[in-house]
Amino acid sequence: MKTTLSLFCCSLSLLFCFYLPRGSLSAGVDRCKLPPRGWNSYDSFCWTISEDDFLKSAKVVAKYLKSHGYEYVVLDYLWYRRLVPGAYTDSLGFDVIDQWGRMVPAPDRWPSAKSGSGFAEVAKEVHSLGLKFGIHVMRGLSRQAFDANTPILDINTGRAYEESGREWRAQDIGIKERSCAWMPHGFMSVNTSLPAGRAFLSSLYHQYAEWGVDFIKHDCVFGDDFNLEEITYVSGLLKKFDRPILYSLSPGTSVTPTMAKELKGLANMYRVTGDDWDSWGDVASHFDVARDFAKAEMVPGEGLLGSSWPDLDMLPLGWLTDAGANQGPHRQCNLTLDEQRTQMTLWSMARSPLMFGGDVRQIDETTYKLITNPTLLEINDYSSNNMEFPYVTGKILGPARNHLMRRSKISMLKRVNNHHTRVVGVTSCKDPNANGWSVESLGQYHEQICWRKEDEQLNREPLCLYKRICSNEHVLYGQDNRRLFTSDNGVKSCLDASPRHKLTSSEWKKKQPSFSTCRGDANQMWKLSSNATLRSSYSGLCARVKQVKANDVRTSGVRSWIATGRQGEIYVAFFNLNVEKTLISAKLSDMAKVLPGRNLEDKADCKGREVWSGQRYEAVADSLEMVVDKHGCALFTLNCS
């Protein structure tokens, strides 16, 4: 039975005494140097939240979560959309804009904005609670403002922007062909090479600063939708304001460390996966990407006026809604308690920002204890040397599946599967793995673009895409005889540079090339460069082909992470990705291999405890081991002399 916050609030004084983490806000810690932490409205309200619901949620965060470092309350997307029949996530004509084409809060949901003050009153209320106020914004210019051809505000004069003897408007700066791929009726890029385009962006972000916004979540500018020009200009604007505004980027589909390195000094957190929802597939899909960013030494990296953090996305725990729904919270999280612990432990060991997504007004005691666990928050805040630990052994327990598995530095724990296929993805054009394309003639009027990297060494036919001319640009459409790309009844489809809907983390992990009806827009424009890269005119990213196991859809096996604490302690996490109980173990001597300088090889005297069971270890001489339930985890804190 679910016990809500209102039913257990009488014991909160004891809980706060026990769960108050070292480095909480009450201890006066500067959280600007730590992974951001807070609450976001998306997982519980989608886009439908009202001012009343938001402020009630903020009061709960202030009362019960602020002392644990949860300092941001972030309003997610479409706060400018009227909640009326016919309005949904990609509807057109339901948004509220001002005379300058800027989004303003929909007054039917945000009554304090009726006076024309935008979010100023909401931000004031949030600040009075000791919290910081954040909003979600989209790329560039809204389609609604473009269609209305609104003038552009010149913030220096307070009048319409003029240059070269004329007034500039939305249709002068909007790039309709570069609409947000997953919200094509919503927003488009602006031409930042034009002074008028930059003037429009300046008017947007100066308005957000005037409202009192402390956190900007900028969507449809990263991952498959990478727009480095807009990110760079917005980052420069935020840097000039007289107070810090945290800068977050989204979405995270197809993000790699190489791509993220182009953000150096520009942002404070950036998504590295698709949307995370409450499914085991979504949770399991984060292990590889978390490992890759830790290995690239980007946790943390250099950010805007501080650090930057790879963001594994919000925590969809507790009372939730559904992706793209036109309703608020109405169901419980689908993850088991073991799966929730696995998610929270991985996020903490990887030092991801922690943004709780559930309805805080109905938070249950189990969820509350999980997201305020003092050991997890200590790890998330202050641990170092965080990395995946490769030397771990797992033995599945059960009469039918009693076999031994090992992870080593060169072996990955996945089911044996020798059948491979190739998929097309996108990456930074600076990625050395992106230069494998060449053009071949098929006659007087036809050519094909082929990926030959690795194929010649493996003595196999290359993966090829045919080329045709469209709007004076090359457009590729799939016709592969290996059935990687199919054509229905001879109808040809064009390769999209970006998915046409928001991908979940598990969808992104299994993502196939995206093909749709040929439209001739920038999302389907590609250019073959002299350095053998195939560049998207939409995002500036390059296509690459990767070999994957065709049936390796569900991740299995065992994984482990390791880190060190600020008091010299060692944190070790075991993760069981199998569907059966598994005995997982690791040797202290192997831990010494990844923690140089720690005397763990010569029979070190280690003591510690396991967090979830409470089991204490008075003498760990050679190795750690524990039976871990399906999709569960174990988290050890060790003190070794």
Side-chain angles (χ1 to χ4, degrees):
M1 173 179 289
K2 178 171 74 74
T3 305
T4 63
L5 186 64
S6 60
L7 295 178
F8 81 98
C9 63
C10 59
S11 63
L12 274 175
S13 58
L14 294 177
L15 282 173
F16 278 125
C17 180
F18 181 74
Y19 286 104
L20 186 64
R22 288 174 291 174
S24 66
L25 287 184
S26 61
V29 169
D30 180 7
R31 287 212 56 86
C32 295
K33 300 177 182 179
L34 308 177
R37 191 177 299 164
W39 173 77
N40 182 291
S41 64
Y42 179 70
D43 287 348
S44 46
F45 289 92
C46 193
W47 66 276
T48 64
I49 192 169
S50 67
E51 180 173 337
D52 183 60
D53 288 333
F54 184 81
L55 290 178
K56 285 180 178 177
S57 299
K59 291 174 182 177
V60 175
V61 173
K63 188 173 183 180
Y64 301 123
L65 293 175
K66 184 177 70 171
S67 60
H68 299 274
Y70 291 85
E71 62 174 336
Y72 291 98
V73 285
V74 181
L75 171 61
D76 215 274
Y77 73 158
L78 302 182
W79 37 266
Y80 34 81
R81 186 152 297 173
R82 292 177 291 123
L83 187 56
V84 295
Y88 61 98
T89 54
D90 192 34
S91 56
L92 178 62
F94 295 91
D95 296 340
V96 183
I97 60 176
D98 66 11
Q99 69 182 100
W100 308 110
R102 301 177 299 181
M103 317 310 296
V104 293
D108 60 324
R109 296 161 53 203
W110 302 90
S112 68
K114 290 181 180 179
S115 63
S117 60
F119 279 126
E121 292 302 315
V122 173
K124 182 179 179 181
E125 180 70 17
V126 169
H127 293 156
S128 73
L129 298 171
L131 299 173
K132 297 178 181 179
F133 175 55
I135 60 173
H136 173 288
V137 301
M138 295 290 290
R139 68 156 59 192
L141 175 76
S142 77
R143 169 72 179 275
Q144 196 165 313
F146 182 89
D147 289 346
N149 201 22
T150 53
I152 297 165
L153 173 65
D154 185 338
I155 60 173
N156 297 311
T157 65
R159 299 189 298 271
Y161 181 84
E162 294 183 359
E163 183 189 358
S164 302
R166 72 178 182 92
E167 182 180 287
W168 288 66
R169 291 179 171 266
Q171 292 181 7
D172 296 318
I173 63 169
I175 307 175
K176 194 174 181 180
E177 296 78 15
R178 292 191 65 181
S179 62
C180 179
W182 56 266
M183 193 192 289
H185 296 106
F187 291 82
M188 65 186 72
S189 293
V190 298
N191 190 339
T192 54
S193 67
L194 295 174
R198 298 193 295 272
F200 176 74
L201 292 177
S202 294
S203 73
L204 282 181
Y205 287 86
H206 275 83
Q207 177 168 258
Y208 302 150
E210 289 170 0
W211 287 347
V213 171
D214 307 293
F215 181 115
I216 296 286
K217 179 181 176 181
H218 198 179
D219 209 341
C220 210
V221 293
F222 196 45
D224 285 326
D225 305 288
F226 197 21
N227 189 332
L228 184 59
E229 294 80 9
E230 184 166 329
I231 291 171
T232 301
Y233 187 72
V234 170
S235 179
L237 290 173
L238 299 181
K239 185 181 291 187
K240 295 176 182 177
F241 292 139
D242 59 1
R243 59 186 178 82
I245 298 179
L246 190 143
Y247 191 27
S248 170
L249 303 178
S250 191
T253 47
S254 302
V255 171
T256 63
T258 301
M259 183 193 303
K261 286 177 181 178
E262 297 187 51
L263 299 176
K264 184 178 180 181
L266 297 178
N268 303 108
M269 53 188 278
Y270 52 91
R271 285 274 298 281
V272 294
T273 69
D275 282 5
D276 177 70
W277 279 95
D278 53 327
S279 73
W280 172 246
D282 278 10
V283 175
S285 69
H286 286 75
F287 279 90
D288 286 353
V289 70
R291 172 203 62 205
D292 292 345
F293 277 86
K295 186 176 181 180
E297 299 182 346
M298 299 182 70
V299 186
E302 181 182 339
L304 173 63
L305 300 176
S307 300
S308 68
W309 305 89
D311 178 15
L312 298 181
D313 200 16
M314 292 168 283
L315 296 161
L317 309 174
W319 202 241
L320 306 171
T321 187
D322 296 301
N326 273 26
Q327 60 179 320
H330 60 274
R331 64 176 181 85
Q332 273 284 9
C333 173
N334 289 319
L335 297 173
T336 67
L337 179 57
D338 281 322
E339 291 168 345
Q340 293 178 48
R341 287 174 172 172
T342 290
Q343 179 169 30
M344 189 70 185
T345 302
L346 177 63
W347 265 237
S348 298
M349 292 292 285
R351 301 196 73 193
S352 169
L354 298 179
M355 292 290 173
F356 179 58
D359 184 359
V360 290
R361 304 167 308 168
Q362 302 185 69
I363 193 169
D364 58 273
E365 185 174 5
T366 299
T367 302
Y368 179 80
K369 288 182 177 180
L370 178 61
I371 68 172
T372 60
N373 181 281
T375 303
L376 292 180
L377 299 187
E378 170 73 15
I379 293 170
N380 184 249
D381 277 344
Y382 300 114
S383 59
S384 56
N385 301 309
N386 305 64
M387 69 186 83
E388 185 174 72
F389 177 58
Y391 307 102
V392 63
T393 298
K395 182 179 181 181
I396 293 178
L397 304 180
R401 300 292 301 276
N402 194 0
H403 64 270
L404 188 67
M405 302 176 298
R406 288 186 175 86
R407 276 188 63 84
S408 70
K409 230 170 184 180
I410 60 172
S411 66
M412 298 300 295
L413 276 182
K414 294 184 178 179
R415 300 185 191 277
V416 176
N417 183 350
N418 293 321
H419 180 57
H420 291 75
T421 188
R422 287 167 288 175
V423 298
V424 178
V426 292
T427 185
S428 167
C429 291
K430 296 180 180 180
D431 188 338
N433 294 313
N435 56 343
W437 296 95
S438 62
V439 63
E440 296 182 1
S441 174
L442 294 176
Q444 184 176 1
Y445 300 107
H446 298 283
E447 291 181 337
Q448 62 181 359
I449 306 293
C450 295
W451 176 267
R452 291 192 172 276
K453 203 165 189 173
E454 300 105 11
D455 289 330
E456 293 179 354
Q457 298 176 4
L458 298 173
N459 193 28
R460 65 184 178 190
E461 291 296 317
L463 185 151
C464 295
L465 301 168
Y466 289 90
K467 184 180 75 173
R468 70 182 180 117
I469 302 299
C470 179
S471 301
N472 298 318
E473 291 284 351
H474 292 168
V475 177
L476 305 180
Y477 54 90
Q479 279 244 11
D480 189 85
N481 58 12
R482 290 166 189 78
R483 301 177 65 83
L484 293 177
F485 314 117
T486 61
S487 177
D488 294 333
N489 299 319
V491 177
K492 297 168 183 176
S493 299
C494 289
L495 176 64
D496 288 332
S498 181
R500 305 200 70 77
H501 71 283
K502 294 190 79 174
L503 296 179
T504 67
S505 296
S506 53
E507 285 177 324
W508 168 75
K509 186 74 173 178
K510 301 177 289 185
K511 187 179 68 170
Q512 296 293 319
S514 174
F515 285 88
S516 62
T517 302
C518 293
R519 303 174 307 279
D521 63 21
N523 193 36
Q524 296 176 339
M525 301 294 181
W526 300 83
K527 181 179 181 181
L528 182 65
S529 302
S530 58
N531 64 351
T533 58
L534 190 62
R535 184 182 180 92
S536 164
S537 300
Y538 171 79
S539 65
L541 299 177
C542 283
R544 64 162 295 189
V545 176
K546 293 193 293 185
Q547 179 173 281
V548 299
K549 294 181 179 180
N551 297 322
D552 191 13
V553 175
R554 299 185 67 86
T555 307
S556 60
V558 294
R559 309 290 282 260
S560 180
W561 273 66
I562 195 168
T564 53
R566 55 177 172 166
Q567 303 298 327
E569 62 269 48
I570 299 173
Y571 300 110
V572 181
F574 291 162
F575 300 98
N576 178 20
L577 278 60
N578 295 309
V579 295
E580 303 93 349
K581 285 187 177 182
T582 302
L583 176 64
I584 305 177
S585 60
K587 296 180 180 179
L588 292 181
S589 58
D590 286 333
M591 296 179 197
K593 296 176 182 178
V594 299
L595 297 176
R598 302 302 295 264
N599 184 23
L600 299 175
E601 298 187 68
D602 301 324
K603 300 292 182 181
D605 180 19
C606 295
K607 299 179 181 180
R609 69 182 183 94
E610 197 284 314
V611 171
W612 304 119
S613 66
Q615 181 176 342
R616 294 195 172 275
Y617 295 80
E618 295 301 327
V620 181
D622 299 308
S623 63
L624 280 175
E625 69 174 24
M626 175 165 279
V627 174
V628 181
D629 286 336
K630 162 189 172 182
H631 298 170
C633 68
L635 176 59
F636 302 92
T637 300
L638 299 178
N639 290 281
C640 302
S641 59

